[in-house]
Amino acid sequence: MITKILVPTDGSKTAQKAGAYAVNLAKQLNASIIVISVMDKRLLANRIMPVGRSQPSVAESIEDYQQEAAKRYAGEIKKLCEKRSIRSKTVIKSGHPVEEIVKEAEKSKADLIIMGSHGRSAIKSAILGSVTFGVIHKDTKVPVLVVRK
Amino acid sequence: MITKILVPTDGSKTAQKAGAYAVNLAKQLNASIIVISVMDKRLLANRIMPVGRSQPSVAESIEDYQQEAAKRYAGEIKKLCEKRSIRSKTVIKSGHPVEEIVKEAEKSKADLIIMGSHGRSAIKSAILGSVTFGVIHKDTKVPVLVVRK
């Protein structure tokens, strides 16, 4: 029985498509949805700091921006859930997307992860984005449903 | 709406697990199931023929064996469907498993492919078997749900 579906989003078009797919499936199954959006710490670590600005302040403003974006992305799917009267909650995390998604799936005892084939950082020619590839290849017991772009 | 689920099987333990998962989901969704088992032509082409036997007769007996096995594998999942009163049919194909699975998904207008992470030919240490990897990376519109071993 599928009762809890985890839906990762980075606000990309394919993540939104996967979100809509998950909402439809949850409706059919009478399941609840957990939306997760991960602030990618790697982006912060690799950012080149402009000369003349102190690194902490730049890092903070990037982090603020990431957090605001993550909340907005998760909120878009939560809104879809509310429209269809599906129980849902949002989770915002900071770290490596693959690690955080799998950790949340196990912690929340999700029966299924539904995600898009491509995220924001995907190379257009690649058939699978790096985060989806990572989650599928991760050694966890939770099944993964990949929605194509 | 998910109304038709394609379930590829090569008789492996993970394929059976994916089959049971698909049957449960189909029951919840009131969907039908198409079970596909592909006789892998590559195995036949690469087979080393023993000296002293004519190649056609050996090829035929391997093909007979493959066909009998494919029917048995598909039949196991069809039986599960019948037990749960789920509409189902079986399809036996010959060729490259990835190509045949994707072709059947498109031909039969399946809404979802449910398959195991590892098939019979998978290297134990690999996180994903080659057929599942191939289907996920194939450029098709049909979503894929991967059930772990």
Side-chain angles (χ1 to χ4, degrees):
Chain A
M1 284 286 281
I2 295 173
T3 59
K4 208 184 278 175
I5 301 171
L6 183 69
V7 184
T9 177
D10 64 354
S12 62
K13 222 173 155 179
T14 319
Q16 287 175 313
K17 195 177 166 189
Y21 186 99
V23 166
N24 279 334
L25 186 59
K27 190 74 197 172
Q28 273 188 275
L29 295 172
N30 194 26
S32 67
I33 282 182
I34 302 167
V35 191
I36 183 169
S37 193
V38 182
M39 298 155 53
D40 193 338
K41 274 292 174 197
R42 295 169 307 172
L43 297 179
L44 207 54
N46 298 332
R47 182 78 52 174
I48 299 159
M49 299 296 171
V51 180
R53 284 193 71 175
S54 68
Q55 291 197 11
S57 74
V58 175
E60 272 164 28
S61 67
I62 294 171
E63 212 169 334
D64 284 352
Y65 170 78
Q66 278 193 326
Q67 189 161 32
E68 187 272 324
K71 280 183 185 167
R72 198 173 64 243
Y73 302 151
E76 283 167 5
I77 297 175
K78 194 172 166 53
K79 238 183 248 168
L80 285 181
C81 292
E82 284 162 2
K83 259 192 199 164
R84 305 285 298 276
S85 312
I86 291 160
R87 280 156 295 133
S88 67
K89 70 167 191 172
T90 59
V91 174
I92 309 297
K93 291 280 179 184
S94 175
H96 188 296
V98 174
E99 305 290 336
E100 295 302 323
I101 290 166
V102 172
K103 218 192 282 174
E104 181 60 34
E106 289 173 355
K107 193 189 137 202
S108 62
K109 297 192 171 60
D111 309 295
L112 183 62
I113 302 171
I114 298 186
M115 62 197 301
S117 56
H118 290 74
R120 271 184 186 278
S121 60
I123 301 157
K124 279 207 174 117
S125 62
I127 300 295
L128 219 57
S130 63
V131 176
T132 307
F133 187 91
V135 171
I136 286 179
H137 284 76
K138 196 86 188 167
D139 199 11
T140 169
K141 291 281 170 213
V142 189
V144 181
L145 196 161
V146 179
V147 176
R148 320 274 187 164
K149 66 175 175 182
Chain B
M1 282 287 282
I2 295 173
T3 58
K4 209 183 278 175
I5 301 171
L6 183 69
V7 184
T9 177
D10 64 354
S12 63
K13 222 173 157 178
T14 320
Q16 286 174 314
K17 195 177 165 187
Y21 187 99
V23 166
N24 279 332
L25 186 59
K27 190 74 198 172
Q28 273 188 277
L29 295 171
N30 195 25
S32 67
I33 282 181
I34 302 167
V35 190
I36 182 171
S37 193
V38 182
M39 298 155 53
D40 193 339
K41 274 291 174 200
R42 294 169 307 172
L43 297 178
L44 206 56
N46 299 331
R47 182 78 52 175
I48 298 158
M49 299 295 174
V51 181
R53 285 193 72 175
S54 68
Q55 291 197 9
S57 74
V58 175
E60 273 164 29
S61 67
I62 294 173
E63 213 169 331
D64 285 351
Y65 171 78
Q66 277 192 327
Q67 189 162 33
E68 186 272 324
K71 280 183 186 167
R72 196 172 66 242
Y73 302 151
E76 282 168 7
I77 297 176
K78 197 175 163 52
K79 238 182 248 169
L80 284 182
C81 292
E82 284 163 1
K83 260 192 197 165
R84 304 284 299 277
S85 312
I86 291 161
R87 279 157 296 132
S88 66
K89 70 167 191 172
T90 59
V91 174
I92 308 295
K93 290 279 176 184
S94 174
H96 188 296
V98 174
E99 305 290 336
E100 295 302 324
I101 290 166
V102 172
K103 217 191 285 172
E104 181 59 34
E106 289 172 357
K107 193 189 137 203
S108 62
K109 296 192 172 60
D111 309 293
L112 182 63
I113 302 170
I114 297 185
M115 63 196 300
S117 55
H118 290 74
R120 270 184 187 279
S121 60
I123 300 156
K124 277 206 175 117
S125 61
I127 301 295
L128 220 58
S130 63
V131 175
T132 308
F133 187 92
V135 171
I136 285 180
H137 284 76
K138 195 90 187 162
D139 202 9
T140 168
K141 292 283 172 212
V142 190
V144 181
L145 195 161
V146 179
V147 175
R148 321 273 188 164
K149 67 174 172 182

